């Protein structure tokens, strides 16, 4: 829970702080978005790398929901109590990170955003953004490429900020946190229900796509069953058994 709280807070500091900085240095919205998207992606990749071995670095209730569903389906994941604890820590961390970013730039903390983000096209954008995020994480986990998740997620978010109409919030906790910052990356409180609902729906779509494309067996086998399988399933020259022993992210994320 501590890792999820600090990790999510750090993510919001990066996202909101870089947005405030970019908007203050350039009046060109495109230039500001380039700076914000690059900083957000780089920061996200570093945070996942740092906290992944501790908590899996979910930083996102939708990712936590997929971990709960994986366990419910018979694989490795979180139980209900753990999932609720993660989501609580993530939301608290997101709000704390938003407030910290505001204070760091000499702004009045606790002011709600006035950026109303509504319209069906934005909600479709959030469904697409979140579904893609879940598919990247689940897909890499199910084919034994969990080591690529930090860089792959960072790259995906950098792209999704640009190719989705909503700007790819793709994170209910992060969305709530952004409501506490009246800045370039903020979102008005009245826009929260629609965005969060779209993100939850997108998470379900992403899970369904991952199951359709990759199936369940390879991603939901427990580490014990993978080790018992021995060196019959190589991954870039390594048996799957060795991957589970040497890569803590495999067990943490998958």
């Amino acid at each position: 829970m501590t890792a999820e709280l600090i990790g999510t807070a750090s993510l919001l500091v990066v996202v909101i702080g870089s947005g405030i900085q970019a908007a203050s240095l350039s009046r060109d919205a495109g230039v500001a978005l380039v700076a914000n998207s690059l900083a957000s992606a780089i920061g996200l990749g570093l945070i996942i790398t740092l906290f992944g071995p501790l908590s899996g670095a979910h930083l996102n209730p939708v990712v936590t929901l997929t971990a709960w569903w994986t366990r419910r389906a018979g694989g490795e994941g979180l139980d209900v109590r753990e999932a609720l604890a993660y989501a609580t820590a993530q939301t608290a961390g997101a709000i704390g990170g938003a407030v910290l970013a505001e204070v760091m730039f000499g702004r009045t903390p606790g002011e709600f955003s006035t950026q109303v983000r509504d319209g069906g096209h934005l909600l479709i954008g959030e469904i697409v953004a979140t579904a893609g995020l879940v598919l990247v994480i689940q897909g890499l986990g199910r084919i034994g490429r969990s080591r690529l998740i930090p860089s792959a997620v960072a790259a995906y978010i950098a792209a999704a900020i640009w190719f989705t109409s909503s700007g790819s919030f793709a994170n209910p906790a992060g969305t709530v946190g952004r409501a506490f910052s009246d800045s370039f990356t903020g979102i008005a409180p009245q826009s929260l229900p629609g965005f969060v609902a779209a993100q939850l729906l997108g998470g379900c779509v992403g899970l369904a796509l991952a199951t359709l494309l990759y199936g369940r067996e390879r991603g939901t086998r427990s580490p014990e069953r993978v080790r018992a399988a021995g060196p019959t399933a190589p991954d870039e020259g390594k048996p799957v058994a060795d991957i589970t022993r040497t890569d803590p992210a495999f067990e943490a994320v998958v």
Side-chain angles (χ1 to χ4, degrees):
M1 285 183 67
T2 302
E4 287 296 301
L5 188 148
I6 295 174
T8 311
S10 301
L11 176 61
L12 267 290
V13 169
V14 172
V15 172
I16 294 176
S18 64
I20 295 173
Q21 186 80 292
S24 68
L25 294 176
S26 175
R27 295 184 179 181
D28 188 317
V31 173
L33 188 58
V34 168
N36 178 238
S37 60
L38 286 177
S40 298
I42 294 170
L44 177 59
L46 292 172
I47 292 167
I48 294 175
T49 300
L50 181 63
F51 292 101
L54 300 177
S55 66
H58 295 187
L59 316 175
N60 185 335
V62 169
V63 177
T64 296
L65 179 63
T66 64
W68 166 78
W69 180 260
T70 299
R71 176 162 178 160
R72 188 175 183 274
E76 297 296 313
L78 304 177
D79 61 28
V80 173
R81 291 177 60 186
E82 291 169 332
L84 289 175
Y86 265 47
T88 300
Q90 290 156 0
T91 304
I95 294 172
V99 172
L100 176 58
E102 293 284 301
V103 172
M104 185 168 60
F105 281 91
R107 296 159 58 94
T108 303
E111 289 188 352
F112 288 117
S113 174
T114 56
Q115 285 204 58
V116 177
R117 301 175 187 263
D118 55 15
H121 65 293
L122 296 183
L123 300 184
I124 292 174
E126 276 302 284
I127 293 172
V128 171
T130 313
L133 175 63
V134 171
L135 180 58
V136 167
I137 296 171
Q138 287 286 316
L140 289 172
R142 294 180 190 214
I143 62 175
R145 300 292 193 275
S146 295
R147 292 179 179 179
L148 299 178
I149 287 177
S151 57
V153 169
Y156 173 79
I157 290 299
I161 288 174
W162 282 92
F163 75 72
T164 61
S165 57
S166 63
S168 185
F169 284 44
N171 183 337
T175 304
V176 171
R178 293 202 205 188
F180 287 81
S181 174
D182 191 15
S183 64
F184 181 73
T185 57
I187 179 172
Q190 60 264 39
S191 300
L192 290 179
F195 264 57
V196 171
Q199 290 157 1
L200 294 174
L201 178 57
C204 294
V205 172
L207 264 179
L209 288 173
T211 301
L212 174 66
L213 293 170
Y214 301 105
R216 296 181 179 181
E217 272 305 304
R218 295 185 68 183
T220 58
R221 287 187 297 173
S222 68
E224 290 75 15
R225 280 184 286 168
V226 173
R227 293 188 183 102
T232 59
D235 178 291
E236 298 179 353
K238 283 182 142 185
V240 172
D242 289 343
I243 294 171
T244 59
R245 281 193 290 267
T246 60
D247 183 12
F250 187 92
E251 294 185 18
V253 178
V254 180

